[in-house]
Coordinates of all heavy atoms in Angstrom, one line a residue:
M51 N 21.3 -9.2 -5.2 CA 19.9 -9.2 -5.7 C 20.0 -9.2 -7.2 O 21.0 -8.6 -7.8 CB 19.2 -7.9 -5.2 CG 17.7 -8.1 -5.3 SD 16.8 -6.7 -4.7 CE 17.4 -6.3 -3.2
R52 N 19.1 -9.9 -7.9 CA 19.1 -9.9 -9.4 C 18.9 -8.5 -10.0 O 18.1 -7.7 -9.4 CB 18.2 -11.0 -9.8 CG 18.6 -12.3 -9.5 CD 17.8 -13.3 -10.1 NE 18.1 -14.7 -9.8 CZ 17.5 -15.8 -10.2 NH1 16.4 -15.7 -10.9 NH2 17.9 -16.9 -9.8
R53 N 19.3 -8.4 -11.2 CA 19.1 -7.1 -11.9 C 17.6 -6.9 -12.2 O 17.2 -5.8 -12.2 CB 19.8 -7.2 -13.2 CG 21.4 -7.1 -13.0 CD 22.1 -7.1 -14.3 NE 23.5 -7.0 -14.0 CZ 24.4 -6.9 -14.9 NH1 24.1 -6.6 -16.1 NH2 25.7 -6.9 -14.5
E54 N 16.8 -8.0 -12.5 CA 15.4 -7.8 -12.8 C 14.7 -7.2 -11.5 O 13.9 -6.3 -11.7 CB 14.7 -9.1 -13.2 CG 15.4 -9.8 -14.3 CD 16.5 -10.7 -13.9 OE1 16.4 -11.3 -12.8 OE2 17.4 -10.8 -14.7
V55 N 15.0 -7.7 -10.4 CA 14.5 -7.2 -9.1 C 14.8 -5.7 -8.8 O 14.0 -4.9 -8.5 CB 14.8 -8.1 -7.9 CG1 14.3 -7.6 -6.7 CG2 14.3 -9.5 -8.1
I56 N 16.1 -5.5 -9.1 CA 16.6 -4.1 -8.9 C 15.9 -3.2 -9.9 O 15.6 -2.0 -9.5 CB 18.1 -4.0 -9.1 CG1 18.8 -4.8 -8.0 CG2 18.6 -2.7 -9.1 CD1 20.3 -4.9 -8.1
H57 N 15.7 -3.6 -11.1 CA 15.0 -2.8 -12.1 C 13.6 -2.5 -11.7 O 13.1 -1.3 -11.7 CB 15.0 -3.5 -13.5 CG 14.3 -2.7 -14.5 ND1 14.8 -1.5 -15.1 CD2 13.1 -3.0 -15.1 CE1 13.9 -1.1 -15.9 NE2 12.9 -2.0 -16.0
V58 N 12.9 -3.5 -11.2 CA 11.5 -3.2 -10.7 C 11.5 -2.3 -9.5 O 10.6 -1.4 -9.5 CB 10.9 -4.6 -10.3 CG1 9.6 -4.4 -9.5 CG2 10.6 -5.5 -11.5
M59 N 12.5 -2.5 -8.6 CA 12.6 -1.5 -7.4 C 12.8 -0.1 -8.0 O 12.3 0.9 -7.3 CB 13.6 -2.0 -6.5 CG 13.4 -3.3 -6.0 SD 12.2 -3.4 -4.7 CE 13.2 -3.2 -3.4
E60 N 13.7 0.1 -9.0 CA 14.1 1.4 -9.4 C 12.9 2.1 -10.2 O 12.6 3.2 -10.1 CB 15.2 1.4 -10.4 CG 16.5 1.0 -9.5 CD 16.9 2.0 -8.6 OE1 16.8 3.2 -8.8 OE2 17.5 1.6 -7.6
T61 N 12.1 1.3 -10.9 CA 11.0 1.8 -11.6 C 9.7 2.0 -10.7 O 8.8 2.8 -11.2 CB 10.6 0.9 -12.8 OG1 10.2 -0.4 -12.3 CG2 11.6 0.8 -13.8
N62 N 9.7 1.5 -9.5 CA 8.6 1.7 -8.7 C 9.1 2.2 -7.3 O 9.5 1.5 -6.4 CB 7.8 0.4 -8.4 CG 6.5 0.6 -7.8 OD1 6.2 1.6 -7.1 ND2 5.6 -0.4 -7.9
P63 N 9.1 3.5 -7.2 CA 9.8 4.1 -6.0 C 9.0 3.8 -4.7 O 9.6 3.7 -3.6 CB 9.6 5.6 -6.3 CG 8.9 5.8 -7.4 CD 8.7 4.5 -8.1
E64 N 7.7 3.4 -4.8 CA 7.0 3.1 -3.5 C 7.5 1.7 -3.0 O 7.5 1.4 -1.9 CB 5.5 3.1 -3.7 CG 5.0 4.5 -3.9 CD 3.5 4.6 -3.9 OE1 2.9 3.6 -4.1 OE2 2.9 5.7 -3.8
L65 N 7.8 0.7 -3.9 CA 8.3 -0.5 -3.5 C 9.7 -0.3 -2.9 O 10.0 -1.0 -1.9 CB 8.4 -1.5 -4.8 CG 7.2 -2.2 -5.2 CD1 7.6 -3.1 -6.4 CD2 6.5 -3.0 -4.1
K66 N 10.5 0.6 -3.5 CA 11.7 0.8 -3.0 C 11.6 1.5 -1.5 O 12.4 1.1 -0.6 CB 12.5 1.8 -3.9 CG 13.9 2.0 -3.5 CD 14.6 2.9 -4.6 CE 16.0 3.0 -4.3 NZ 16.7 3.8 -5.4
R67 N 10.6 2.3 -1.3 CA 10.5 3.0 0.0 C 10.0 1.9 0.9 O 10.4 1.8 2.1 CB 9.5 4.1 -0.1 CG 9.3 4.9 1.2 CD 8.4 6.0 1.0 NE 7.1 5.6 0.6 CZ 5.9 6.3 0.8 NH1 6.1 7.5 1.3 NH2 4.8 5.9 0.4
F68 N 9.1 1.0 0.6 CA 8.6 -0.1 1.4 C 9.7 -1.0 1.8 O 9.9 -1.4 3.0 CB 7.5 -0.9 0.7 CG 7.0 -2.1 1.5 CD1 6.1 -1.9 2.5 CD2 7.5 -3.3 1.2 CE1 5.7 -2.9 3.3 CE2 7.0 -4.4 2.0 CZ 6.1 -4.2 3.0
C69 N 10.6 -1.3 0.9 CA 11.8 -2.2 1.2 C 12.7 -1.5 2.2 O 13.3 -2.1 3.1 CB 12.5 -2.6 0.0 SG 11.7 -3.9 -0.9
R70 N 12.9 -0.2 2.1 CA 13.8 0.6 3.0 C 13.2 0.6 4.4 O 13.9 0.5 5.4 CB 14.0 2.0 2.5 CG 14.9 2.0 1.3 CD 15.4 3.4 1.0 NE 16.3 3.3 -0.2 CZ 16.7 4.3 -0.8 NH1 16.3 5.5 -0.5 NH2 17.6 4.1 -1.7
Q71 N 11.9 0.6 4.5 CA 11.2 0.6 5.8 C 11.1 -0.9 6.4 O 11.0 -0.9 7.6 CB 9.8 1.2 5.7 CG 9.8 2.7 5.4 CD 8.4 3.2 5.2 OE1 7.4 2.5 5.2 NE2 8.3 4.6 5.2
H72 N 11.2 -1.9 5.5 CA 11.2 -3.2 6.0 C 12.3 -4.0 5.2 O 12.2 -4.7 4.3 CB 9.8 -3.9 5.5 CG 8.6 -3.2 6.1 ND1 8.0 -2.2 5.4 CD2 8.0 -3.4 7.2 CE1 7.0 -1.7 6.2 NE2 7.0 -2.4 7.3
P73 N 13.6 -3.8 5.9 CA 14.7 -4.3 5.1 C 14.8 -5.9 5.1 O 15.6 -6.4 4.4 CB 15.9 -3.8 6.1 CG 15.2 -3.3 7.3 CD 13.8 -3.1 7.0
I74 N 14.0 -6.5 5.7 CA 13.9 -8.1 5.7 C 13.6 -8.4 4.2 O 14.0 -9.5 3.8 CB 12.9 -8.7 6.6 CG1 13.0 -10.1 6.7 CG2 11.5 -8.3 6.3 CD1 14.2 -10.6 7.4
W75 N 13.0 -7.6 3.5 CA 12.6 -8.0 2.1 C 13.9 -8.0 1.2 O 13.8 -8.6 0.2 CB 11.6 -6.9 1.6 CG 10.2 -7.4 2.0 CD1 9.5 -6.9 2.9 CD2 9.5 -8.4 1.4 NE1 8.3 -7.5 3.1 CE2 8.2 -8.5 2.1 CE3 9.7 -9.4 0.4 CZ2 7.2 -9.4 1.8 CZ3 8.7 -10.3 0.1 CH2 7.5 -10.4 0.8
Y76 N 14.9 -7.2 1.5 CA 16.1 -7.3 0.7 C 16.6 -8.7 0.8 O 17.1 -9.3 -0.2 CB 17.2 -6.3 1.2 CG 16.9 -4.9 0.9 CD1 16.5 -3.9 1.8 CD2 16.9 -4.5 -0.5 CE1 16.4 -2.6 1.5 CE2 16.7 -3.2 -0.8 CZ 16.4 -2.2 0.2 OH 16.1 -0.9 -0.2
R77 N 16.7 -9.3 2.0 CA 17.2 -10.7 2.1 C 16.3 -11.7 1.5 O 16.7 -12.6 0.8 CB 17.3 -11.0 3.6 CG 18.0 -12.3 3.9 CD 18.1 -12.6 5.4 NE 18.7 -11.5 6.1 CZ 18.4 -11.2 7.4 NH1 17.6 -12.0 8.1 NH2 18.9 -10.2 8.0
R78 N 15.0 -11.5 1.7 CA 14.0 -12.4 1.1 C 14.1 -12.4 -0.5 O 14.0 -13.5 -1.1 CB 12.6 -12.2 1.5 CG 12.4 -12.4 3.0 CD 11.0 -12.0 3.5 NE 10.0 -12.9 3.0 CZ 8.7 -12.8 3.3 NH1 8.3 -11.8 4.0 NH2 7.9 -13.7 2.9
L79 N 14.3 -11.3 -1.1 CA 14.3 -11.2 -2.5 C 15.6 -11.6 -3.1 O 15.8 -12.2 -4.2 CB 14.1 -9.8 -3.0 CG 12.6 -9.3 -2.9 CD1 12.5 -7.8 -3.1 CD2 11.6 -10.0 -3.7
S80 N 16.7 -11.5 -2.3 CA 18.0 -12.0 -2.7 C 18.0 -13.5 -2.7 O 18.6 -14.1 -3.6 CB 19.1 -11.5 -1.7 OG 19.3 -10.1 -1.8
R81 N 17.4 -14.1 -1.8 CA 17.3 -15.6 -1.7 C 16.3 -16.2 -2.6 O 16.5 -17.2 -3.2 CB 17.0 -16.0 -0.3 CG 18.0 -15.7 0.7 CD 17.6 -16.1 2.1 NE 18.8 -15.8 3.0 CZ 18.6 -15.7 4.3 NH1 17.5 -16.1 4.9 NH2 19.6 -15.4 5.1
D82 N 15.2 -15.4 -2.9 CA 14.1 -16.0 -3.7 C 13.4 -14.8 -4.4 O 12.5 -14.2 -4.0 CB 13.0 -16.7 -2.9 CG 12.0 -17.4 -3.7 OD1 12.1 -17.5 -4.9 OD2 11.0 -17.8 -3.1
P83 N 13.9 -14.5 -5.7 CA 13.4 -13.4 -6.4 C 11.9 -13.6 -6.8 O 11.2 -12.7 -7.2 CB 14.2 -13.3 -7.7 CG 15.4 -14.3 -7.5 CD 15.1 -15.1 -6.3
Q84 N 11.4 -14.8 -6.7 CA 10.1 -15.1 -7.1 C 9.0 -14.5 -6.1 O 7.9 -14.5 -6.4 CB 9.8 -16.6 -7.2 CG 10.7 -17.3 -8.2 CD 10.4 -16.8 -9.6 OE1 9.3 -16.6 -10.0 NE2 11.4 -16.7 -10.4
Q85 N 9.5 -14.0 -5.0 CA 8.7 -13.4 -4.0 C 8.4 -12.0 -4.3 O 7.8 -11.3 -3.4 CB 9.3 -13.5 -2.6 CG 9.3 -14.9 -2.0 CD 9.7 -15.0 -0.6 OE1 10.0 -13.9 0.0 NE2 9.5 -16.1 0.0
L86 N 8.7 -11.5 -5.5 CA 8.4 -10.2 -5.9 C 6.9 -9.9 -5.8 O 6.5 -8.8 -5.4 CB 9.0 -9.9 -7.2 CG 9.1 -8.4 -7.6 CD1 9.9 -7.6 -6.7 CD2 9.7 -8.3 -9.0
A87 N 6.1 -10.8 -6.3 CA 4.6 -10.7 -6.2 C 4.1 -10.5 -4.8 O 3.2 -9.7 -4.5 CB 4.0 -11.8 -6.9
E88 N 4.8 -11.3 -3.9 CA 4.4 -11.2 -2.4 C 4.8 -9.8 -1.9 O 4.0 -9.3 -1.1 CB 5.0 -12.3 -1.7 CG 4.7 -12.4 -0.3 CD 3.2 -12.8 0.0 OE1 2.6 -13.5 -0.9 OE2 2.7 -12.4 1.0
L89 N 5.9 -9.3 -2.3 CA 6.3 -8.0 -1.9 C 5.3 -7.0 -2.4 O 5.0 -6.0 -1.5 CB 7.7 -7.6 -2.5 CG 8.2 -6.3 -2.4 CD1 8.5 -5.9 -0.9 CD2 9.3 -5.9 -3.2
Q90 N 4.9 -7.0 -3.6 CA 3.9 -6.1 -4.0 C 2.6 -6.2 -3.3 O 2.0 -5.1 -3.0 CB 3.7 -6.3 -5.6 CG 4.9 -5.9 -6.4 CD 4.7 -6.2 -7.8 OE1 4.1 -7.2 -8.2 NE2 5.6 -5.5 -8.7
K91 N 2.2 -7.4 -3.0 CA 1.0 -7.5 -2.2 C 1.1 -6.9 -0.8 O 0.2 -6.2 -0.4 CB 0.5 -9.0 -2.0 CG 0.0 -9.7 -3.2 CD -0.3 -11.2 -2.9 CE -0.6 -11.9 -4.1 NZ -0.8 -13.4 -3.8
E92 N 2.2 -7.2 -0.2 CA 2.5 -6.5 1.1 C 2.5 -5.0 1.1 O 2.1 -4.3 2.0 CB 3.7 -7.1 1.7 CG 3.5 -8.6 2.1 CD 3.8 -8.9 3.6 OE1 4.2 -8.0 4.3 OE2 3.6 -10.1 3.8
A93 N 3.2 -4.6 0.1 CA 3.3 -3.0 -0.1 C 1.9 -2.4 -0.3 O 1.6 -1.4 0.2 CB 4.2 -2.7 -1.3
N94 N 1.1 -3.1 -1.2 CA -0.2 -2.5 -1.4 C -1.1 -2.5 -0.1 O -1.7 -1.6 0.2 CB -1.0 -3.4 -2.4 CG -0.5 -3.1 -3.8 OD1 0.0 -2.0 -4.1 ND2 -0.8 -4.1 -4.7
Y95 N -0.9 -3.6 0.8 CA -1.6 -3.6 2.1 C -1.0 -2.4 3.0 O -1.8 -1.8 3.6 CB -1.4 -4.9 2.7 CG -2.2 -5.1 4.1 CD1 -3.4 -5.2 4.1 CD2 -1.4 -4.9 5.2 CE1 -4.1 -5.2 5.4 CE2 -2.1 -5.0 6.5 CZ -3.4 -5.1 6.5 OH -4.0 -5.2 7.7
F96 N 0.3 -2.3 2.9 CA 0.9 -1.2 3.8 C 0.5 0.1 3.4 O 0.3 1.0 4.3 CB 2.4 -1.4 3.6 CG 3.2 -0.4 4.4 CD1 3.4 -0.5 5.8 CD2 3.8 0.7 3.8 CE1 4.1 0.4 6.5 CE2 4.5 1.6 4.5 CZ 4.7 1.5 6.0
F97 N 0.3 0.4 2.1 CA 0.0 1.7 1.6 C -1.5 1.9 1.5 O -2.0 3.0 1.1 CB 0.6 2.0 0.2 CG 2.1 2.2 0.3 CD1 2.9 1.4 -0.3 CD2 2.6 3.2 1.0 CE1 4.3 1.6 -0.2 CE2 4.0 3.4 1.2 CZ 4.8 2.6 0.5
G98 N -2.3 0.9 2.0 CA -3.8 1.0 2.0 C -4.4 0.9 0.6 O -5.4 1.6 0.3
R99 N -4.0 0.1 -0.3 CA -4.5 0.0 -1.6 C -5.3 -1.3 -1.8 O -5.6 -1.5 -3.0 CB -3.4 0.1 -2.7 CG -2.7 1.4 -2.8 CD -1.9 1.5 -4.0 NE -0.8 2.4 -3.8 CZ 0.4 2.1 -3.7 NH1 0.8 0.8 -4.0 NH2 1.3 3.0 -3.5
T100 N -5.6 -2.1 -0.9 CA -6.4 -3.2 -1.0 C -7.8 -2.8 -1.2 O -8.3 -1.8 -0.7 CB -6.2 -4.2 0.1 OG1 -6.7 -3.6 1.3 CG2 -4.7 -4.7 0.2
F101 N -8.6 -3.7 -1.8 CA -10.0 -3.3 -2.0 C -10.8 -3.1 -0.7 O -11.5 -2.1 -0.7 CB -10.7 -4.5 -2.7 CG -12.1 -4.3 -3.1 CD1 -12.5 -3.4 -4.1 CD2 -13.1 -4.9 -2.4 CE1 -13.8 -3.1 -4.4 CE2 -14.5 -4.7 -2.7 CZ -14.8 -3.8 -3.8
G102 N -10.5 -3.9 0.3 CA -11.2 -3.7 1.6 C -10.8 -2.3 2.2 O -11.7 -1.7 2.8
Q103 N -9.6 -2.0 2.1 CA -9.2 -0.7 2.7 C -9.8 0.4 1.9 O -10.1 1.5 2.6 CB -7.6 -0.6 2.7 CG -7.0 -1.6 3.6 CD -5.5 -1.6 3.4 OE1 -5.0 -1.6 2.3 NE2 -4.7 -1.8 4.5
R104 N -9.9 0.3 0.6 CA -10.5 1.5 -0.1 C -12.1 1.5 0.2 O -12.6 2.7 0.3 CB -10.3 1.2 -1.6 CG -8.9 1.4 -2.1 CD -8.8 1.2 -3.5 NE -7.4 1.3 -4.0 CZ -7.0 1.3 -5.2 NH1 -7.8 1.1 -6.2 NH2 -5.7 1.4 -5.5
V105 N -12.7 0.4 0.4 CA -14.1 0.4 0.8 C -14.3 1.1 2.1 O -15.2 1.9 2.3 CB -14.7 -1.0 0.6 CG1 -16.1 -1.1 1.2 CG2 -14.7 -1.5 -0.8
D106 N -13.5 0.7 3.0 CA -13.5 1.3 4.3 C -13.3 2.8 4.3 O -14.1 3.6 4.9 CB -12.5 0.7 5.3 CG -12.8 -0.7 5.7 OD1 -14.0 -1.1 5.6 OD2 -11.9 -1.4 6.2
R107 N -12.4 3.3 3.5 CA -12.1 4.7 3.4 C -13.3 5.4 2.7 O -13.7 6.5 3.2 CB -10.9 4.9 2.5 CG -10.2 6.2 2.8 CD -8.9 6.4 2.0 NE -8.1 5.2 2.1 CZ -7.4 4.5 1.1 NH1 -7.6 5.0 -0.1 NH2 -6.7 3.5 1.3
V108 N -14.0 4.8 1.8 CA -15.2 5.5 1.1 C -16.3 5.5 2.1 O -17.0 6.5 2.3 CB -15.6 4.7 -0.2 CG1 -16.9 5.0 -0.6 CG2 -14.6 4.9 -1.3
Q109 N -16.5 4.4 2.9 CA -17.5 4.4 3.9 C -17.4 5.5 5.0 O -18.3 6.2 5.4 CB -17.6 3.0 4.6 CG -18.3 2.0 3.8 CD -18.3 0.6 4.4 OE1 -17.5 0.3 5.3 NE2 -19.2 -0.2 3.9
K110 N -16.1 5.6 5.4 CA -15.8 6.7 6.4 C -16.2 8.1 5.8 O -16.7 8.9 6.5 CB -14.4 6.7 6.8 CG -14.1 5.5 7.8 CD -12.6 5.6 8.1 CE -12.2 4.4 9.0 NZ -10.8 4.4 9.3
N111 N -15.8 8.3 4.5 CA -16.0 9.6 3.9 C -17.6 9.8 3.7 O -18.0 10.9 3.9 CB -15.3 9.7 2.6 CG -13.8 9.8 2.7 OD1 -13.3 10.3 3.7 ND2 -13.1 9.5 1.7
L112 N -18.2 8.8 3.4 CA -19.7 9.0 3.3 C -20.3 9.2 4.6 O -21.3 10.0 4.7 CB -20.3 7.7 2.6 CG -20.1 7.5 1.1 CD1 -20.7 6.2 0.6 CD2 -20.8 8.6 0.3
G113 N -19.9 8.5 5.6 CA -20.4 8.8 6.9 C -20.2 10.2 7.3 O -21.1 10.8 7.9
M114 N -19.0 10.8 7.0 CA -18.7 12.1 7.4 C -19.6 13.1 6.6 O -20.1 14.1 7.2 CB -17.2 12.5 7.1 CG -16.8 13.8 7.5 SD -16.5 13.9 9.2 CE -14.9 13.4 9.2
V115 N -19.8 12.9 5.3 CA -20.7 13.7 4.5 C -22.1 13.7 5.0 O -22.8 14.7 5.2 CB -20.7 13.3 3.0 CG1 -21.7 13.9 2.2 CG2 -19.3 13.6 2.5
M116 N -22.7 12.4 5.5 CA -24.0 12.3 5.9 C -24.2 13.1 7.3 O -25.2 13.7 7.6 CB -24.4 10.9 6.1 CG -24.5 10.1 4.8 SD -25.7 10.8 3.6 CE -27.2 10.4 4.5
M117 N -23.1 13.0 8.1 CA -23.1 13.7 9.4 C -23.2 15.3 9.1 O -24.0 15.9 9.7 CB -21.9 13.4 10.2 CG -21.9 14.0 11.5 SD -20.5 13.5 12.6 CE -19.2 14.3 11.7
L118 N -22.4 15.7 8.2 CA -22.4 17.1 7.9 C -23.8 17.6 7.3 O -24.3 18.7 7.7 CB -21.3 17.5 6.8 CG -19.9 17.4 7.4 CD1 -18.9 17.6 6.3 CD2 -19.7 18.5 8.5
I119 N -24.4 16.8 6.5 CA -25.8 17.1 5.9 C -26.7 17.1 7.1 O -27.7 18.1 7.1 CB -26.1 16.0 4.9 CG1 -25.3 16.2 3.6 CG2 -27.6 16.2 4.5 CD1 -25.4 15.2 2.6
E120 N -26.7 16.2 7.9 CA -27.6 16.2 9.2 C -27.4 17.5 10.0 O -28.3 18.0 10.5 CB -27.5 14.9 10.0 CG -28.0 13.7 9.3 CD -29.4 13.8 8.9 OE1 -30.3 14.4 9.8 OE2 -29.9 13.4 7.9
M121 N -26.2 17.8 10.1 CA -25.8 19.1 11.0 C -26.4 20.3 10.3 O -26.9 21.2 10.9 CB -24.4 19.2 11.2 CG -23.8 18.2 12.2 SD -22.0 18.3 12.4 CE -21.8 20.0 12.9
L122 N -26.3 20.3 9.0 CA -26.9 21.5 8.2 C -28.4 21.5 8.3 O -29.0 22.6 8.5 CB -26.4 21.4 6.8 CG -25.0 21.8 6.5 CD1 -24.7 21.6 5.0 CD2 -24.8 23.3 6.9
R123 N -29.1 20.4 8.2 CA -30.5 20.3 8.4 C -30.9 20.7 9.8 O -31.9 21.4 10.0 CB -31.0 18.9 8.2 CG -31.0 18.5 6.7 CD -31.6 17.1 6.5 NE -31.4 16.7 5.1 CZ -31.6 15.4 4.7 NH1 -31.9 14.5 5.6 NH2 -31.5 15.2 3.4
A124 N -30.2 20.4 10.8 CA -30.5 20.7 12.1 C -30.4 22.2 12.4 O -31.2 22.8 13.1 CB -29.7 19.9 13.2
T125 N -29.4 22.8 11.9 CA -29.2 24.2 12.1 C -30.2 25.1 11.3 O -30.6 26.2 11.8 CB -27.8 24.7 11.7 OG1 -27.5 24.4 10.3 CG2 -26.7 24.0 12.5
R126 N -30.7 24.6 10.2 CA -31.7 25.4 9.4 C -33.1 25.1 10.0 O -34.0 26.0 9.8 CB -31.7 24.9 8.0 CG -30.5 25.3 7.2 CD -30.6 24.9 5.8 NE -29.4 25.3 5.1 CZ -29.2 25.1 3.8 NH1 -30.1 24.5 3.1 NH2 -28.0 25.5 3.2
G127 N -33.4 24.1 10.6 CA -34.7 23.7 11.0 C -35.0 24.1 12.3 O -35.9 24.5 12.8

């Protein structure tokens, strides 16, 4: 693996952890270091950092808050 790729992996521990959980990426990066951007996209998806995943998480939290508010209203009324 090239030194630039190793440096990126060392400076970003989550990428390193993703690669350890998915060892096929070691081979892919050794053969084609240009796939580093693809690795970062896949890692973001794996760790739930895409825009869609964040929106879903916010919606779930809002739904939970609304349910708690309704429960409080029902117990008071």
Side-chain angles (χ1 to χ4, degrees):
M51 203 178 312
R52 291 191 179 173
R53 289 183 185 190
E54 304 87 35
V55 175
I56 292 172
H57 178 70
V58 170
M59 300 283 270
E60 292 295 326
T61 57
N62 192 339
E64 287 186 347
L65 279 181
K66 189 174 185 178
R67 186 173 64 159
F68 178 77
C69 280
R70 286 187 176 171
Q71 291 177 351
H72 301 90
I74 188 74
W75 278 101
Y76 285 113
R77 187 180 312 153
R78 290 174 77 179
L79 290 173
S80 292
R81 292 179 182 168
D82 185 14
Q84 300 300 321
Q85 287 191 355
L86 192 59
E88 184 69 26
L89 168 72
Q90 291 173 335
K91 286 180 189 177
E92 294 237 356
N94 285 338
Y95 181 78
F96 179 77
F97 290 118
R99 289 194 210 115
T100 63
F101 182 72
Q103 290 170 323
R104 288 181 181 184
V105 169
D106 287 343
R107 205 172 312 130
V108 168
Q109 284 179 337
K110 285 180 185 178
N111 289 340
L112 284 176
M114 185 76 85
V115 168
M116 293 301 291
M117 184 178 67
L118 288 172
I119 290 173
E120 290 299 319
M121 287 176 60
L122 286 174
R123 286 184 185 165
T125 58
R126 288 185 181 177

